[in-house]
Amino acid sequence: MLVKLDNPILLSKAVEIISELVTEVRIKVNEFGMSITAMDPANVAMIGFRLPKASFSQFETGEESLGINLDSLKQILKRGGAGSSLILEKKENMLNIQIQDRIKRNFNLSLIDIEGEEKEMPNLEFSSRVELDSVDLVASIEDCGVVADACSFIIQDGKFIIEAKGLNSARSEFSGDEAKIQAENCKSRYSLEYLQKFIKGSKLSEKTILNFANDHPLKMDIKTQHMGLSFILAPRVETDD
Amino acid sequence: MLVKLDNPILLSKAVEIISELVTEVRIKVNEFGMSITAMDPANVAMIGFRLPKASFSQFETGEESLGINLDSLKQILKRGGAGSSLILEKKENMLNIQIQDRIKRNFNLSLIDIEGEEKEMPNLEFSSRVELDSVDLVASIEDCGVVADACSFIIQDGKFIIEAKGLNSARSEFSGDEAKIQAENCKSRYSLEYLQKFIKGSKLSEKTILNFANDHPLKMDIKTQHMGLSFILAPRVETDD
Amino acid sequence: MLVKLDNPILLSKAVEIISELVTEVRIKVNEFGMSITAMDPANVAMIGFRLPKASFSQFETGEESLGINLDSLKQILKRGGAGSSLILEKKENMLNIQIQDRIKRNFNLSLIDIEGEEKEMPNLEFSSRVELDSVDLVASIEDCGVVADACSFIIQDGKFIIEAKGLNSARSEFSGDEAKIQAENCKSRYSLEYLQKFIKGSKLSEKTILNFANDHPLKMDIKTQHMGLSFILAPRVETDD
């Protein structure tokens, strides 16, 4: 296996975001490209990351599944500068990472065994789909973080509302002018701790797509020409709400 | 009560400064504008903040006294961006805070009961008045913070001197060229911990006015076209100085 | 003694770097200029700093040896701005430091007694000399810091290699195109904790010069037109490597 990325910043940022949710993952490399699918240790959230073959300037590989400590990988990827390319090559039980810069810089990362079965992103059905500007979603989630540790995603009469209530409360309202809303009336609560981690991914793309339903998991999709990042988050179903 | 600020950054910065000295305040709103007067828990310092009616683009209110947790208010005001307007509206036992941005964002802040009587800034007499560039005052106070935890404000033969002495010492001297000095010879010591908090207010205006006298409280005034911020600080009278 | 520096930033940065290795030093001032020579408390590293007489705009002094707490000096030097000049004057048992700015700012720093004999940089012989771009050395050392706490400097067939091995590994290779290499084959290991402190000095000059030999101390030299900074570091000779 030998793959080359001429603009490794997307990979570097994605790894940084994923590393906040899980510490060890299997990186799969096959004819479609590179992908990571992982569930967080609390079984509350899943992450799927996909870097299609076309995003690589060189791509020679069979089917690989690389057990990786994400924190180590993150530290190494951070060492690349703005203009540097990245070559990833599997060598026996190591992943060789070459940063192509003015000088030859090489890292070897030990491959590790990952316990448990491979995960796949589940196929879920949703009653509501909202596509909105990432910058607005980020602002709304951070607003909610000021007053509470969970927020509700609400569809009401064609409007999309993000609302958090503690001692104090925060609320954002999106009409059809500010978001593409294809949705039925519904309401579901989600943990802000997770959402605040997910929105770091939103910053990678102008738009974010939310899929949810009444007291149902959330699926959040961030797509660019060169990568896809998806999050699934279990709802917080509470009786006192 | 409904008031609107088109440039809420002054309020946001003032609340940030005041929140370092007190945690809960009464915000008074009446025909003159909005004001806060508070004493710090150690009874060493007082703060007065005034935002005149003319600073608001909309101002409909009777006489109000709103009990507010400053830390919560600070967090909410920080959520406003550079170009956003702010509407504050009292609704029953809540203060509704609307950030007017691309999307509708709303916060509700619980009003609280504040114990103790309302404070007013005392009328003090001073023998010395110094008006100087805020940037110079900030530099001098920070200089002193490097060597000690208190400094002296000294008037000597028409010069204004700020001096701190520990194992090491720091000293700044202002003549009539660098400051407007209307003063009698005197000397008074003040806590640098408090002064370092006050000078964050100095950064809001080009000039800062100091009023003091021999072993007497300090009054520090920062004025802009749109707001006034005043601090009073008890002197440190020590026998070993 | 009275000396004046019109661009005190080099002194300020050097003192900051040295203060990470030692807390108290003798600053020598004589007809050649100003110099500091010190050994770190663990006896693993030495630092030599030299500011020649020509770097000063005013230089009136006999032979002086000033015992200084570097942390205090560092804090005071930081108070100077970009355009300010610095006058250092010995007065009895104090060093008076004047920051020439819009206003007169003065610090007095207590001189202290330094225990132990004066150190001098030793004369060592080396088999290898490498002159390279500081930015490349900084990147290589920081690469190594990601994977281990020591790295090897290796000369192999005319190439200079910096390599660290832990569970993961990092390696940079310099050929004659990227560095001036006058060297025999050799290998020596050094502590990354120290190297990471030294490379803050490298940032002061475009080029850094490394002198070393097989299992031998390292000498690192950073020179600009106005100052010289040298570090000596004992090798880590380990049996399990």
Side-chain angles (χ1 to χ4, degrees):
Chain A
M1 172 206 140
L2 188 155
V3 301
K4 182 174 178 184
L5 274 172
D6 285 336
N7 184 0
I9 291 194
L10 275 182
L11 177 62
S12 175
K13 295 215 168 162
V15 164
E16 199 172 332
I17 292 161
I18 301 169
S19 76
E20 291 201 20
L21 287 150
V22 283
T23 55
E24 299 182 344
V25 295
R26 285 192 192 88
I27 298 184
K28 288 172 79 172
V29 190
N30 58 28
E31 53 179 316
F32 302 110
M34 180 182 281
S35 65
I36 297 172
T37 308
M39 181 169 274
D40 97 296
N43 286 327
V44 172
M46 281 193 75
I47 316 107
F49 170 66
R50 204 171 299 254
L51 209 54
K53 187 177 168 178
S55 302
F56 294 84
S57 60
Q58 204 175 340
F59 199 84
E60 302 159 13
T61 181
E63 197 128 329
E64 298 279 0
S65 177
L66 312 166
I68 296 278
N69 177 298
L70 276 185
D71 199 50
S72 299
L73 180 60
K74 178 180 72 174
Q75 298 297 333
I76 293 171
L77 293 181
K78 270 192 188 167
R79 299 295 312 137
S84 54
S85 319
L86 195 76
I87 294 175
L88 305 177
E89 192 172 1
K90 191 185 170 194
K91 286 184 174 174
E92 291 164 28
N93 208 29
M94 303 291 262
L95 180 66
N96 181 265
I97 300 171
Q98 190 177 321
I99 295 176
Q100 287 201 328
D101 240 329
R102 294 159 23 93
I103 51 170
K104 278 191 200 167
R105 295 160 60 193
N106 264 281
F107 293 86
N108 275 298
L109 183 59
S110 287
L111 298 177
I112 56 179
D113 287 330
I114 307 286
E115 282 178 28
E117 274 179 62
E118 298 219 3
K119 308 278 186 317
E120 280 195 33
M121 296 293 270
N123 267 321
L124 297 165
E125 306 238 329
F126 303 97
S127 68
S128 299
R129 180 188 191 278
V130 177
E131 181 179 338
L132 72 180
D133 284 358
S134 295
V135 64
D136 292 336
L137 177 66
V138 169
S140 298
I141 297 297
E142 289 179 352
D143 282 357
C144 289
V146 168
V147 300
D149 67 348
C151 67
S152 298
F153 283 13
I154 301 163
I155 300 289
Q156 198 171 46
D157 306 332
K159 290 192 174 166
F160 172 50
I161 296 157
I162 301 179
E163 187 176 56
K165 282 182 183 167
L167 181 64
N168 305 320
S169 68
R171 178 191 165 101
S172 306
E173 200 177 299
F174 297 81
S175 70
D177 294 342
E178 297 106 21
K180 271 191 221 166
I181 301 171
Q182 297 160 309
E184 293 171 12
N185 279 8
C186 69
K187 179 175 180 179
S188 190
R189 279 185 93 208
Y190 303 104
S191 153
L192 279 162
E193 185 190 341
Y194 283 93
L195 290 175
Q196 285 174 320
K197 290 179 179 173
F198 297 175
I199 54 172
K200 294 183 187 168
S202 287
K203 292 176 185 166
L204 301 180
S205 171
E206 209 181 312
K207 297 282 182 186
T208 297
I209 297 163
L210 305 172
N211 285 285
F212 56 101
N214 212 39
D215 287 337
H216 190 75
L218 167 73
K219 183 157 183 279
M220 189 167 144
D221 292 301
I222 297 124
K223 278 177 197 156
T224 75
Q225 196 189 340
H226 299 294
M227 68 109 210
L229 192 57
S230 297
F231 300 94
I232 290 178
L233 179 60
R236 271 209 192 176
V237 184
E238 272 161 282
T239 48
D240 58 345
D241 190 24
Chain B
M1 169 205 143
L2 189 155
V3 302
K4 182 173 178 185
L5 274 170
D6 285 335
N7 184 0
I9 291 194
L10 276 182
L11 176 62
S12 175
K13 294 214 169 161
V15 164
E16 199 171 333
I17 292 160
I18 301 169
S19 76
E20 292 200 19
L21 288 150
V22 282
T23 55
E24 300 182 344
V25 295
R26 284 194 192 87
I27 298 184
K28 289 171 78 172
V29 190
N30 57 29
E31 54 179 317
F32 303 110
M34 180 182 282
S35 65
I36 298 173
T37 308
M39 180 168 275
D40 96 299
N43 286 326
V44 172
M46 280 192 77
I47 316 107
F49 170 66
R50 203 171 301 255
L51 207 55
K53 186 177 169 179
S55 303
F56 294 82
S57 59
Q58 202 175 343
F59 199 83
E60 303 158 14
T61 183
E63 196 129 330
E64 298 281 358
S65 176
L66 311 166
I68 296 278
N69 177 297
L70 276 186
D71 199 49
S72 300
L73 179 60
K74 178 179 72 174
Q75 298 298 331
I76 293 171
L77 293 181
K78 270 192 188 170
R79 300 295 313 139
S84 53
S85 318
L86 195 76
I87 294 176
L88 306 177
E89 190 171 3
K90 192 183 169 195
K91 287 186 174 173
E92 289 162 31
N93 207 29
M94 304 289 265
L95 181 67
N96 181 262
I97 300 171
Q98 190 177 322
I99 296 177
Q100 287 201 328
D101 240 329
R102 294 162 22 91
I103 51 170
K104 280 191 200 163
R105 296 160 60 194
N106 264 281
F107 294 86
N108 275 298
L109 184 59
S110 288
L111 298 177
I112 56 179
D113 286 330
I114 307 286
E115 283 177 29
E117 275 178 62
E118 298 221 4
K119 308 278 187 314
E120 280 194 33
M121 295 294 271
N123 267 322
L124 297 164
E125 305 237 327
F126 302 97
S127 69
S128 300
R129 182 187 189 278
V130 177
E131 180 179 338
L132 73 179
D133 284 357
S134 294
V135 63
D136 292 336
L137 177 66
V138 170
S140 299
I141 297 297
E142 289 179 352
D143 283 356
C144 290
V146 168
V147 299
D149 68 348
C151 68
S152 298
F153 283 13
I154 301 163
I155 300 289
Q156 198 172 46
D157 306 333
K159 290 191 174 165
F160 172 50
I161 296 157
I162 301 180
E163 186 176 57
K165 280 181 182 168
L167 180 64
N168 305 320
S169 68
R171 178 189 164 101
S172 305
E173 201 177 296
F174 297 79
S175 71
D177 294 341
E178 297 107 21
K180 270 192 222 166
I181 301 170
Q182 296 161 308
E184 293 171 12
N185 279 7
C186 70
K187 178 175 180 179
S188 190
R189 279 184 93 209
Y190 303 104
S191 154
L192 279 162
E193 186 190 340
Y194 282 94
L195 290 175
Q196 285 174 321
K197 290 179 179 172
F198 297 174
I199 55 172
K200 293 182 188 169
S202 288
K203 292 174 185 167
L204 300 181
S205 171
E206 209 182 313
K207 297 280 182 188
T208 298
I209 297 163
L210 305 172
N211 285 284
F212 56 101
N214 213 38
D215 287 336
H216 190 76
L218 167 73
K219 182 156 184 280
M220 188 166 144
D221 291 303
I222 297 123
K223 276 178 200 157
T224 75
Q225 196 190 339
H226 300 293
M227 66 111 213
L229 193 58
S230 297
F231 300 95
I232 290 176
L233 180 61
R236 272 209 193 176
V237 183
E238 272 161 285
T239 48
D240 60 345
D241 188 24
Chain C
M1 171 204 140
L2 188 156
V3 302
K4 181 172 179 185
L5 274 171
D6 285 336
N7 183 0
I9 290 195
L10 275 182
L11 176 63
S12 175
K13 293 215 168 163
V15 164
E16 197 172 333
I17 292 161
I18 301 169
S19 76
E20 291 201 19
L21 287 149
V22 283
T23 54
E24 298 182 343
V25 295
R26 285 193 191 86
I27 298 184
K28 289 172 79 172
V29 190
N30 58 29
E31 54 180 317
F32 302 110
M34 179 182 282
S35 65
I36 297 173
T37 308
M39 180 168 276
D40 96 297
N43 285 327
V44 171
M46 281 193 76
I47 315 105
F49 169 66
R50 202 171 302 254
L51 207 54
K53 186 177 169 177
S55 304
F56 294 83
S57 60
Q58 203 176 342
F59 198 85
E60 302 159 12
T61 182
E63 196 129 330
E64 297 281 359
S65 176
L66 313 167
I68 296 278
N69 177 297
L70 276 186
D71 199 50
S72 299
L73 179 60
K74 179 179 71 172
Q75 298 298 332
I76 293 172
L77 293 181
K78 270 191 188 168
R79 301 293 314 137
S84 54
S85 319
L86 197 76
I87 295 176
L88 305 178
E89 191 172 2
K90 192 184 167 192
K91 287 186 174 171
E92 290 163 30
N93 208 30
M94 302 291 262
L95 180 66
N96 181 264
I97 301 172
Q98 189 177 322
I99 296 177
Q100 288 201 328
D101 242 328
R102 295 160 22 91
I103 51 170
K104 278 192 200 165
R105 295 161 59 194
N106 263 281
F107 293 86
N108 276 299
L109 184 59
S110 287
L111 297 177
I112 56 179
D113 286 330
I114 306 287
E115 283 179 27
E117 276 179 60
E118 298 219 5
K119 307 277 184 319
E120 280 195 32
M121 295 294 269
N123 267 322
L124 297 164
E125 306 237 327
F126 303 97
S127 69
S128 300
R129 181 187 190 280
V130 177
E131 180 179 338
L132 72 179
D133 284 358
S134 294
V135 63
D136 292 336
L137 176 66
V138 170
S140 298
I141 297 297
E142 289 179 352
D143 282 357
C144 290
V146 168
V147 300
D149 67 348
C151 69
S152 298
F153 283 11
I154 301 164
I155 300 289
Q156 198 172 47
D157 306 333
K159 289 191 174 162
F160 172 51
I161 296 156
I162 301 179
E163 187 177 56
K165 280 182 184 168
L167 181 65
N168 305 320
S169 68
R171 177 189 164 102
S172 305
E173 201 179 298
F174 297 79
S175 70
D177 294 341
E178 297 106 20
K180 271 192 219 166
I181 302 170
Q182 296 161 309
E184 294 171 12
N185 279 8
C186 70
K187 179 175 178 179
S188 191
R189 279 184 93 209
Y190 303 104
S191 154
L192 279 162
E193 186 190 338
Y194 283 94
L195 290 175
Q196 286 174 320
K197 290 178 180 173
F198 297 175
I199 55 173
K200 293 183 188 169
S202 287
K203 292 175 185 166
L204 300 181
S205 169
E206 209 181 313
K207 298 281 182 187
T208 298
I209 298 163
L210 304 172
N211 285 283
F212 56 102
N214 212 38
D215 287 336
H216 190 76
L218 167 73
K219 183 157 183 279
M220 189 167 143
D221 291 302
I222 297 122
K223 276 177 199 157
T224 75
Q225 197 190 338
H226 299 293
M227 67 109 211
L229 193 58
S230 297
F231 299 95
I232 290 176
L233 180 61
R236 269 210 194 177
V237 184
E238 271 160 283
T239 48
D240 60 345
D241 189 25

